[in-house]
């Protein structure tokens, strides 16, 4: 898209000045959270201007986090990079899903935050138990290696399907 298309520019300006609304119908309850916390989450999602935050993203991030940790057995799990960086596909990278949860947690009021953070902490414990520390993290200076959920040994997305 041409960068200075006047119509688009005006539309963007209008969008900036219009108060953002969140009175759309509430989505389904988020599994494991009270209705009250669900509303707080929904409100943040609807009002956020972060590209990676959109209505329903918290639910999707939680589902992704759970699904990643669900396969039975004791074999380690390896987070993997998703090729496409759009906000839908990015959630396939469980570390991105965890980033989103961190963003939501940062912006929630105290009580909903406490409730969601208990849920996330329980998943974090499983994540730590089922992934391996990356011994080369210091050498590689991997992207976001200051964030603990990135300091785990990474796998290949195609190996992660279980066929390799
Ligand atoms: Zn995509």
């Amino acid at each position: 898209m041409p960068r200075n298309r006047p119509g688009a520019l005006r539309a963007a300006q209008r969008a900036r000045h219009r108060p953002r609304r969140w009175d759309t119908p509430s989505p389904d309850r988020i599994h494991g959270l009270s209705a009250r916390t669900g509303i707080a989450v929904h409100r943040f999602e609807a009002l956020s201007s972060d590209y990676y935050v959109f209505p329903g993203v918290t639910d999707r991030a939680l589902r992704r986090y759970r699904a990643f940790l669900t396969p039975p057995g004791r074999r380690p799990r390896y987070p993997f990079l998703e090729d496409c960086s759009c906000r839908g596909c990015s959630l396939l990278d469980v570390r991105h899903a965890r980033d989103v949860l961190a963003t939501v947690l940062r912006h929630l009021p105290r009580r909903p935050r406490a409730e969601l953070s208990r849920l996330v902490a329980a998943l974090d414990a499983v994540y730590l138990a089922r992934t391996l520390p990356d011994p080369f993290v210091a050498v590689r200076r991997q992207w976001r290696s200051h964030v603990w959920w990135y300091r785990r040994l990474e796998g290949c997305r195609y190996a992660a399907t279980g066929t390799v």
Side-chain angles (χ1 to χ4, degrees):
M1 182 171 56
R3 285 184 59 196
N4 292 316
R5 205 158 49 108
L9 200 61
R10 273 198 303 275
Q13 276 160 357
R14 267 202 306 277
R16 244 201 316 280
H17 293 300
R18 197 187 318 129
R20 294 174 66 98
R21 298 166 64 91
W22 61 282
D23 54 358
T24 48
S26 233
D28 290 341
R29 259 297 266 278
I30 299 174
H31 180 75
L33 291 179
S34 67
R36 199 187 155 120
T37 295
I39 289 168
V41 165
H42 175 58
R43 181 176 196 277
F44 167 66
E45 289 172 344
L47 293 175
S48 175
S49 57
D50 183 332
Y51 168 72
Y52 287 101
V53 175
F54 55 91
V57 72
T58 309
D59 188 44
R60 283 183 60 181
L62 281 169
R63 283 170 197 272
R64 178 63 194 127
Y65 202 6
R66 259 188 225 109
F68 177 79
L69 301 169
T70 293
R74 306 179 63 90
R75 290 178 59 179
R77 305 283 295 135
Y78 300 96
F80 57 86
L81 198 63
E82 165 53 40
D83 304 330
C84 177
S85 61
C86 88
R87 60 190 187 176
C89 298
S90 292
L91 286 167
L92 270 175
D93 183 343
V94 69
R95 298 162 301 183
H96 173 79
R98 185 59 182 78
D99 287 341
V100 168
L101 293 170
T103 302
V104 177
L105 282 170
R106 259 199 313 278
H107 290 90
L108 285 182
R110 196 175 56 84
R111 282 178 64 174
R113 183 171 63 227
E115 195 185 334
L116 178 61
S117 73
R118 276 194 298 274
L119 202 65
V120 172
L123 293 167
D124 285 346
V126 183
Y127 181 79
L128 273 172
R130 290 208 68 177
T131 57
L132 302 169
D134 183 351
F136 307 110
V137 74
V139 184
R140 270 198 239 129
R141 291 185 168 274
Q142 202 185 342
W143 190 60
R144 309 212 61 185
S145 61
H146 59 287
V147 183
W148 69 263
W149 51 89
Y150 283 88
R151 301 172 68 96
R152 312 299 291 174
L153 208 53
E154 190 177 57
C156 163
R157 121 158 243 183
Y158 303 99
T161 60
T163 52
V164 181

